[in-house]
Amino acid sequence: MKLSKKNLEGRLDHVYDAIVVGGGAGGLSAAVYLQRYRLSSLVVEKGRGRSFWMQELRNYLGLPPETPGRTLLQQGQSHLQSVGGDYLSGFVEAVEDEGETFAVTVKIGKTDPIYPVFRSKYLVSASGIIDHLPQLEDQQNVFDYAGYNLHVCMICDGYDMADQKCGLFVNSEAAIHTAFVLNWFTPYITVFTQGLCEVGQDMRDKLKAHGYPLIETPLKRFVGQNHHMSGVELTDGTTVDLETGLISMGSHYYNQYLKGLDLDWKGGNLVTDGMCRTSHPRIFALGDLKEGLNQVSIAVADGTLAATAIWRDIRRSAPPRLWEEHVSLAQHQT
Amino acid sequence: MKLSKKNLEGRLDHVYDAIVVGGGAGGLSAAVYLQRYRLSSLVVEKGRGRSFWMQELRNYLGLPPETPGRTLLQQGQSHLQSVGGDYLSGFVEAVEDEGETFAVTVKIGKTDPIYPVFRSKYLVSASGIIDHLPQLEDQQNVFDYAGYNLHVCMICDGYDMADQKCGLFVNSEAAIHTAFVLNWFTPYITVFTQGLCEVGQDMRDKLKAHGYPLIETPLKRFVGQNHHMSGVELTDGTTVDLETGLISMGSHYYNQYLKGLDLDWKGGNLVTDGMCRTSHPRIFALGDLKEGLNQVSIAVADGTLAATAIWRDIRRSAPPRLWEEHVSLAQHQT
């Protein structure tokens, strides 16, 4: 059921089989599977993750391509409720490994927050990432276009940028290399560093050889209307016409609550086995938090794998269930 | 577009980037991704695969739990058409590795079939499995209940059998072990061998200790109405009341067309790497054909992975696309 500040009775004494940090595609899939394995799960969702922002989920089989990410999440939440899972809007502040259980401290509410502690045998980390966006004086101007024709994921949206005049917005020289993959989709690339990084001569030469202009003047604002970006205005007053854009400024991992635990990392990603189990036998990591492609389909499958591994662990350590009536009879007969 | 006997012109001279054998969840996902990577793909679907039979797709995130498998497939086909992929109803008779390309012979049509040969750089095997069902005098009687409350997949449908009187239908002693996992969901299990296998004393003792009756008389028919199975009638005229059933009689892999190729197998499954690539660098295997869980979510993610690996291969061997207009200008300036 949907939990809030007001209906936590019983939940704070209960030891869940698994607490799932993050109610995106991966976390919801894990929780639906856990419940269908007859295990008890709690999803804690802080709100406004990456899939929430997606205006069109163009590559997830089974849904029309124009389905917004929000619709997937809403359907997943109702799916979870239909199989008896708990769902809580809150922010996971800390996780303590108590040996047999995890103690998970959740901040609930913005005004007069409370900090209840929930417990579980397993922890599923599905808290994902959020993309860094250009920081402008009027930040709403960025939100007006991000997720529409100003994209953050080339794998997801390269197709929709095909052969269009595309701005590539970076904050490091390393990120400029994206241009030499993006050109599979379109060669009409202008690179905008926004003045956030130095660019060496080798990179300048390479961009010139490809014919991709480099603009280092900071952005003033994106130009366009009805969520359709049609160019940028620079701080020097000049404008550049564009038909689409890709932001490649890195991302922020929501993984602070894991930092006190002894886990194997590779950069910002958790290292996992084929079932999404981290180096800690009772912690799993899904989707964007772990190594691999950041795609909805991958996160959903990760949820399937993690839930299945948890079920196998718990089932194998449980006593077999007998059909008592017939056992007594069988014992009587022998 | 949808291909048929009548509109193959142009397709037989074209070398597709990938031919996808099987238009289930995995194959359609792969093809949607391939097209969105601006690659050309052809899906060949023989019809009536495992997901076609599913009456309710209870564990795939984003779709209401009561969605039939057919709906997922139809949505996937229309998704594929919207991104320009080719789809053909036919049966892949043979695949020949020609070095740079594969020659794929497809049988099209039941009356007056034709056998055109299509070519591709990559092959994606997503042809899946079909479950063995009890063979009865009136086979329609099995189809009346299979996929409703007579299940074939415990991972998918164990939840829906919870604490119900369940018939476990097997054809080998090894398959009886399923009872000792199924009892996580329900202990009210009756095992039916249908007289198809011998059962050793150890297994008889184990079943007795668990209280699970063993019935070796062949089935005459399933009993029920409106696709709701309520028991079985045996060939000796007795009936056994049931509330649900699980068929665990193995499955048939649609992989004959791969048998002439030099691939690594593990039992009936293809061995693949983390991107679903088989031991042949240009052949990928998805979903039920490869090792791992047979779940829709896994097949869909497999399609994502295989398409991405194929795109990376092809992209990396392609010349970079330049913005010619600016390259000329740049050369002029230097």
Side-chain angles (χ1 to χ4, degrees), chain B residues 87-98:
Chain B
Y87 184 94
L88 172 66
S89 292
F91 184 83
V92 171
E93 293 270 324
V95 172
E96 190 190 343
D97 184 356
E98 302 178 313

Side-chain angles (χ1 to χ4, degrees), chain A residues 192-241:
Chain A
F192 296 85
T193 65
Q194 311 166 70
L196 296 172
C197 60
E198 299 292 311
V199 181
Q201 194 57 47
D202 285 356
M203 180 58 83
R204 290 176 189 276
D205 293 344
K206 190 170 178 183
L207 287 171
K208 192 177 275 186
H210 282 74
Y212 306 157
L214 173 67
I215 295 181
E216 298 179 80
T217 312
L219 302 183
K220 183 166 181 202
R221 63 186 186 102
F222 291 95
V223 179
Q225 53 188 356
N226 294 329
H227 301 297
H228 186 87
M229 187 269 295
S230 57
V232 290
E233 183 183 338
L234 306 176
T235 51
D236 64 10
T238 60
T239 58
V240 181
D241 289 342

